[in-house]
């Protein structure tokens, strides 16, 4: 592999070598230029305006160290420590999944559903609650809280966003991300619903989740070595956690409340079935940017344990 090692390496030189290096590393070419920009602390325009810039020894050392990490399967986001999602910036580390563009479909779907709900005329502010299960970096809860905060002012609805994760390390990152993105979220350390209350006033209007859903036998898991396996893969063909979330959701949702779950491209039918088996109606599956089934949503018909 040709890692640039010359003493006076320029941006132009790295740009020339980037396509070949990317091929050898099996990474997208933009990882190399984004990594370079991160190392030299410059905006992307610098790649065009300052091609003759020579990396300092320490910049070159850092650049090369990152290339070696990429070679070992470490994704760019773990090297830079951040990832863009929903036009916001999120800190990430090895305790959190790296937010994927497809998960924006989940955010978009939930917002569209919320916006389509009729709002009862009221003098008082209406309080609503949203839960994100397995929040990781917090990208879903924070993006939703960010949008709902803007909508709040118009509709007199005040959204309380609660996010849970089993990993205390992930919660630390998510808390940091909430502060950085100026949203107020209650983070709870919990295995799915375990630490939550089923009391009436604690019920949610919306439950959302991007749980682990990759089949443990899926060969594509070997390419995801750097991310927490507990956030990626689940037993029962990847459906075990989705099943648990759907089965327990009726205890924590208001009647008519929304459950929206991200899942694998080939799990749409099974997830719709799980929703139907657990008293959900208006069940639909939404496709991602690659036209694959990605998000299933439904509304709770009744409280089986309470009626
Ligand atoms: N969509 C991710 C992937 O296939 C997996 C995310 C998840 O398991 N929740 O890489």
């Amino acid at each position: 592999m040709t890692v640039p090692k010359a003493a006076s390496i320029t941006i132009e030189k790295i740009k020339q070598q980037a396509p070949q290096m990317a091929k050898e590393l099996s990474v997208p070419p933009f990882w190399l230029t984004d990594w370079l920009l991160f190392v030299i602390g410059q905006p992307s325009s610098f790649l065009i305006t300052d091609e003759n810039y020579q990396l300092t020894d320490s910049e070159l050392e850092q650049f090369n160290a990152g290339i070696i990490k990429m070679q070992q399967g470490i994704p760019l986001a773990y090297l830079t420590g951040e990832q863009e999602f929903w036009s916001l910036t999120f800190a990430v580390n090895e305790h959190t999944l790296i937010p994927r563009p497809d998960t924006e479909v989940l955010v978009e779907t939930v917002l569209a559903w919320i916006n389509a709900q009729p709002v009862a005329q009221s003098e008082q502010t209406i309080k609503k609650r949203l839960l994100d299960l397995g929040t990781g970096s917090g990208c879903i809860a924070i993006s939703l809280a960010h949008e709902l905060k803007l909508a709040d002012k118009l509709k007199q609805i005040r959204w309380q966003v609660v996010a849970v994760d089993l990993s205390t390390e992930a919660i630390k990152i998510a808390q940091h991300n909430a502060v950085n993105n100026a949203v107020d979220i209650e983070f709870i350390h919990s295995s799915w619903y375990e630490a939550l209350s089923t009391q009436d006033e604690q019920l949610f209007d919306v439950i959302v989740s991007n749980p682990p859903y990759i089949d443990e036998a899926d060969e594509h898991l070997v390419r995801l070595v750097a991310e927490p396996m507990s956030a990626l893969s689940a037993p029962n063909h990847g459906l075990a956690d989705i099943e648990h979330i759907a089965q327990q959701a009726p205890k924590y949702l208001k009647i008519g409340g929304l459950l929206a779950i991200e899942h694998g491209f080939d799990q749409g039918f099974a997830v719709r079935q799980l929703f139907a088996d657990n008293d959900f109606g208006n069940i639909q599956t939404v496709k991602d940017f690659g036209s694959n089934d990605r998000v299933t949503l439904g509304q709770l018909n009744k409280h089986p344990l309470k009626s």
Side-chain angles (χ1 to χ4, degrees):
M1 141 108 38
T2 28
V3 174
K5 285 226 168 62
S8 63
I9 190 104
T10 59
I11 289 191
E12 188 182 15
K13 188 103 190 165
I14 296 180
K15 270 170 64 180
Q16 279 165 4
Q17 295 189 357
Q20 182 58 27
M21 283 169 68
K23 216 187 230 169
E24 289 177 30
L25 291 162
S26 307
V27 301
F30 80 87
W31 278 24
L32 298 174
T33 41
D34 278 12
W35 174 234
L36 171 63
L37 291 167
F38 179 84
V39 168
I40 60 176
Q42 295 292 345
S44 48
S45 57
F46 199 77
L47 291 180
I48 297 158
T49 57
D50 289 75
E51 279 197 321
N52 295 327
Y53 175 83
Q54 285 190 1
L55 275 73
T56 65
D57 287 353
S58 73
E59 285 170 346
L60 186 57
E61 203 177 304
Q62 195 189 350
F63 180 77
N64 285 335
I67 300 299
I68 289 167
K69 290 239 169 84
M70 284 186 202
Q71 204 171 11
Q72 294 164 347
I74 310 291
L76 173 69
Y78 286 163
L79 296 183
T80 61
E82 58 184 41
Q83 176 69 41
E84 296 283 311
F85 179 86
W86 200 261
S87 302
L88 301 171
T89 302
F90 292 89
V92 292
N93 66 15
E94 70 278 12
H95 301 291
T96 70
L97 203 66
I98 299 168
R100 314 282 206 266
D102 285 336
T103 301
E104 293 184 345
V105 172
L106 177 60
V107 173
E108 212 168 76
T109 302
V110 170
L111 284 174
W113 183 87
I114 288 174
N115 288 331
Q117 299 310 297
V119 182
Q121 286 302 314
S122 156
E123 290 298 301
Q124 281 156 6
T125 308
I126 305 160
K127 197 185 84 179
K128 295 205 178 209
R129 282 165 60 78
L130 181 147
L131 170 66
D132 176 25
L133 290 168
T135 198
S137 66
C139 66
I140 298 168
I142 293 168
S143 302
L144 286 169
H146 173 82
E147 297 298 327
L148 294 170
K149 195 169 92 171
L150 302 177
D152 254 13
K153 297 191 183 83
L154 305 172
K155 283 196 174 170
Q156 286 196 309
I157 298 174
R158 174 125 208 191
W159 281 90
Q160 289 184 335
V161 178
V162 177
V164 308
D165 206 286
L166 182 59
S167 160
T168 48
E169 294 299 328
I171 287 183
K172 275 188 220 162
I173 290 282
Q175 265 163 339
H176 166 89
N177 285 328
V179 171
N180 265 5
N181 287 298
V183 294
D184 200 11
I185 292 180
E186 183 186 354
F187 290 100
I188 299 174
H189 178 226
S190 174
S191 171
W192 304 125
Y193 303 96
E194 213 168 83
L196 302 173
S197 158
T198 53
Q199 281 181 359
D200 276 357
E201 67 277 13
Q202 301 284 322
L203 297 180
F204 292 95
D205 297 273
V206 173
I207 298 179
V208 58
S209 184
N210 174 18
Y213 56 71
I214 303 178
D215 185 346
E216 288 169 318
D218 191 323
E219 61 206 18
H220 125 246
L221 273 182
V222 293
R223 281 189 271 124
L224 301 170
V225 284
E227 292 177 278
M229 203 41 71
S230 59
L232 286 167
S233 169
N236 187 19
H237 306 290
L239 286 166
D241 291 303
I242 293 180
E243 184 172 13
H244 177 77
I245 291 168
Q247 274 171 356
Q248 298 296 309
K251 285 200 256 171
Y252 299 88
L253 266 179
K254 292 181 191 164
I255 290 171
L258 178 77
L259 175 64
I261 301 183
E262 178 175 330
H263 53 73
F265 71 99
D266 54 356
Q267 294 171 333
F269 180 78
V271 178
R272 285 192 296 277
Q273 196 59 51
L274 284 170
F275 273 52
D277 290 347
N278 288 288
D279 282 317
F280 284 88
N282 294 335
I283 303 164
Q284 297 170 49
T285 297
V286 180
K287 293 191 187 299
D288 65 15
F289 303 122
S291 299
N292 293 310
D293 279 359
R294 188 57 66 196
V295 170
T296 291
L297 63 155
Q299 277 178 272
L300 184 65
N301 287 331
K302 59 181 168 58
H303 282 145
L305 301 177
K306 296 190 176 181
S307 55

